[in-house]
Amino acid sequence: MEAKIRNGDYIADGLGGVVRCRGVEALLERVLFRLTAHRGGLPFLPNLGSRLYLLAREPAAQRPSAARQYVAEALSEEAVSITDVKLTPEGQGRVRVETSLEYQGTELSVSVTV
């Protein structure tokens, strides 16, 4: 079971605990966490997270391939296949990374803004 996180914080269950999820929903929570955590930011888990926060440093022409590489690194320990990674500019130097995944024959998608 995974704890649900929104906007960097756990969602309270109203009973003094946090909302938990299972199955595909838990997988998506782990995927979102791995994509939003800065790779190398946790000293005892240096390979957890992604380098998506570095996309702005890449030349514009290389950002799509860099994004796909960063997503693949972040999700290498999850049982998913990455089918597509799309970038959409959101202004003020931010970009939305939309990732399409396949998990046990089911298509899933997640998006994060960096």
Side-chain angles (χ1 to χ4, degrees):
M1 287 178 49
E2 302 293 327
K4 281 189 152 189
I5 299 175
R6 289 294 173 262
N7 299 322
D9 203 0
Y10 294 107
I11 300 173
D13 66 1
L15 302 170
V18 295
V19 176
R20 300 214 173 257
C21 52
R22 296 177 182 196
V24 172
E25 190 177 11
L27 169 73
L28 289 173
E29 289 296 324
R30 286 194 312 273
V31 165
L32 283 171
F33 182 78
R34 288 178 182 278
L35 292 177
T36 56
H38 288 201
R39 189 173 192 89
L42 298 169
F44 298 107
L45 298 168
N47 294 324
L48 180 70
S50 76
R51 295 187 294 153
L52 287 171
Y53 67 96
L54 298 174
L55 274 179
R57 296 180 186 176
E58 299 289 339
Q62 295 176 1
R63 286 183 190 152
S65 62
R68 186 169 182 90
Q69 176 186 343
Y70 297 162
V71 168
E73 285 176 356
L75 303 182
S76 66
E77 295 181 19
E78 294 293 340
V80 296
S81 298
I82 300 163
T83 56
D84 195 19
V85 176
K86 293 181 184 175
L87 301 179
T88 306
E90 290 201 336
Q92 298 180 353
R94 299 180 62 81
V95 65
R96 182 171 207 71
V97 181
E98 299 174 49
T99 305
S100 300
L101 307 167
E102 186 175 315
Y103 173 70
Q104 297 180 347
T106 303
E107 292 182 21
L108 306 169
S109 65
V110 296
S111 61
V112 297
T113 301
V114 293

